[in-house]
Amino acid sequence: MSDMTLAPRRRPLWRLFIMPVLLLIAAAAWSVFWFYAASQAEVTADAWRAREAKSGRVYDCAKRSVAGFPFRLEVRCDGASVSLQSQTAEQAATQAAITAKLGEILVVAQVYDPKLLIAEFTAPATISERGQPPSMVVNWSKARSSVVGLPAVPQRISLVFDDASIDRINGPVQAPLARAKHIELHGRFVEGSPVDHPVIETVLQIAAGSVQGLHPLLAEPFDAEVRTMLSGLKDFSPKPWPVRFREIQAAGGHVEIVQSRVQQGDLIAVAAGPLGLGADGRLDGELQMTVAGIEKVIPALGIEKMLDEGVPQATLDRVAPGVKTQDVNNLLGALDRAIPGLGKVVKQNANVGVAAGINALGKETVLEGKKARAFPLRFVDGAVFLGPLKVGQIPPLF
């Protein structure tokens, strides 16, 4: 029997094309899915804009585009604008429509996680009333946000700004209003649901912030961190803030300052407590406050200036009931006549006396290793009282 050589069997050629064909089919399917998701993104954006417009918040784009293929969805809005419009004839008579315009908004979502949206905003933004030139300009070096939960109602929102500034515009002149090196605002639902009595937690962080023109204490740079819990909402459907505040007041809701800390130079202050709203929309409540270095801020309260200009009777009624403004002015004049310059010395040392009075109100304690005083910070019909002194006034919220 002779040896026989067997020829190798040929493999079918079609097997070589299985993997490329499968990859081609997968790529085609993914492309169809991406373009479908891109079209749905525009549909969802239009539905969201329509829902917001019913609440008086009108969002618009001069040009909108969708990109990011194959793994991301990028919705770019050029010439973005947001208009806050009145909802009723009564509101229209008392409130002007406000419009904010900015260069570009870029919203990014991963195709595999469409409920997480990341947005970036291009500065500057201008703010104006209807038919009027811009009254404010807002700038930043970097601004971004993240939203979890869309296209349903968001479950968690974060906003971050670096090197933020707000300037007033008066013709060709810009005047600084507020500055901050870094700002973060975080919010999330902790109880209930977006449609059934939600309780919302917020955290605000400000680094090197300052505000001009409101109060001398706010003009110097400060760092702040405030954590709050807001209750009393019926739901979280879009609605104007005055309507929302009325809803909170009617339900007996409040803002709980869970924790707050403010530092300005040697001054450190922490506070916690509930704040509610009266029937007229003004803040009422009391915060338990602990302050280290309070003597550093007493001069900024303007006690000496108040004496120079004459003590308002309303202030005396709070601080020293029964004492008249004319009596104080006569006393200072009599001191100057008896010993020239004595009245001035009394005025210049008024801050020392006020500091001693405030120290006497609270109890001595220690805050972050420093001597401190603990006392209540009261809000009465929107007025802010530090001990017996009115140090600020907050306008009604509705």
Side-chain angles (χ1 to χ4, degrees):
M1 185 173 181
S2 60
D3 294 335
M4 297 181 62
T5 302
L6 298 177
R9 296 182 60 186
R10 292 184 178 181
R11 294 182 179 180
L13 293 178
W14 62 268
R15 293 184 179 180
L16 299 176
F17 296 99
I18 290 179
M19 187 57 66
V21 169
L22 290 178
L23 289 175
L24 182 61
I25 293 173
W30 183 262
S31 298
V32 171
F33 169 75
W34 187 93
F35 283 105
Y36 172 77
S39 65
Q40 288 301 107
E42 297 210 52
V43 171
T44 301
D46 289 337
W48 176 77
R49 287 177 57 219
R51 184 169 63 102
E52 287 288 288
K54 292 180 180 179
S55 298
R57 295 182 288 270
V58 179
Y59 297 82
D60 204 359
C61 293
K63 180 182 178 182
R64 188 174 68 187
S65 60
V66 180
F69 181 82
F71 300 114
R72 303 201 309 178
L73 289 173
E74 298 179 356
V75 180
R76 189 180 303 273
C77 173
D78 294 312
S81 66
V82 182
S83 297
L84 305 181
Q85 300 180 352
S86 304
Q87 294 300 289
T88 65
E90 179 182 356
Q91 291 174 343
T94 58
Q95 302 175 7
I98 297 175
T99 299
K101 296 182 179 180
L102 64 160
E104 179 186 272
I105 300 176
L106 175 63
V107 181
V108 178
Q110 304 296 336
V111 174
Y112 51 81
D113 189 10
K115 290 188 177 182
L116 172 61
L117 300 182
I118 307 295
E120 295 183 354
F121 310 94
T122 301
T126 58
I127 300 174
S128 60
E129 294 184 358
R130 177 187 298 166
Q132 300 296 321
S135 58
M136 291 186 184
V137 58
V138 185
N139 255 299
W140 55 84
S141 64
K142 183 182 293 185
R144 53 206 178 277
S145 71
S146 65
V147 180
V148 177
L150 291 179
V153 176
Q155 295 296 319
R156 187 169 67 250
I157 300 175
S158 296
L159 292 169
V160 179
F161 291 86
D162 291 332
D163 302 313
S165 66
I166 303 176
D167 291 345
R168 293 190 184 94
I169 301 176
N170 186 7
V173 179
Q174 292 187 15
L177 175 61
R179 297 286 188 272
K181 186 68 176 175
H182 185 78
I183 301 174
E184 291 190 24
L185 177 62
H186 307 275
R188 67 183 183 96
F189 293 103
V190 292
E191 292 183 21
S193 71
V195 296
D196 184 20
H197 299 89
V199 177
I200 301 173
E201 178 186 45
T202 65
V203 177
L204 173 64
Q205 298 173 332
I206 300 175
S210 64
V211 181
Q212 307 297 322
L214 292 183
H215 196 282
L217 285 176
L218 300 177
E220 296 297 322
F222 61 87
D223 296 334
E225 181 170 350
V226 182
R227 184 161 67 94
T228 67
M229 298 284 281
L230 173 63
S231 63
L233 293 172
K234 182 179 179 181
D235 54 48
F236 203 65
S237 60
K239 62 188 68 174
W241 275 108
V243 173
R244 198 180 300 280
F245 285 130
R246 286 193 184 95
E247 181 180 281
I248 293 171
Q249 191 276 331
H254 63 273
V255 175
E256 177 79 20
I257 309 296
V258 179
Q259 183 180 6
S260 67
R261 181 185 185 276
V262 178
Q263 181 167 3
Q264 186 182 61
D266 294 331
L267 170 73
I268 301 175
V270 298
L275 295 176
L277 289 171
D280 57 357
R282 297 181 184 273
L283 276 179
D284 286 304
E286 183 174 292
L287 304 181
Q288 294 303 313
M289 191 172 214
T290 303
V291 182
I294 191 172
E295 67 280 356
K296 305 291 184 180
V297 301
I298 291 298
L301 296 176
I303 306 302
E304 181 182 343
K305 180 180 179 182
M306 182 176 68
L307 290 175
D308 282 336
E309 296 175 350
V311 183
Q313 187 61 55
T315 300
L316 283 174
D317 289 340
R318 293 192 304 270
V319 179
V323 179
K324 302 300 181 183
T325 299
Q326 191 60 40
D327 295 336
V328 174
N329 294 335
N330 289 342
L331 174 60
L332 294 174
L335 291 174
D336 273 329
R337 287 191 299 272
I339 303 177
L342 182 57
K344 182 178 180 180
V345 171
V346 171
K347 293 178 183 179
Q348 291 175 339
N349 286 277
N351 290 324
V352 176
V354 172
I358 291 178
N359 283 339
L361 291 175
K363 60 181 181 179
E364 185 174 347
T365 184
V366 176
L367 178 61
E368 299 183 14
K370 299 181 179 181
K371 290 184 178 180
R373 305 296 300 188
F375 48 82
L377 179 68
R378 297 181 297 119
F379 295 78
V380 182
D381 287 334
V384 186
F385 290 92
L386 183 64
L389 295 175
K390 180 181 177 181
V391 296
Q393 180 72 43
I394 300 175
L397 300 181
F398 60 79

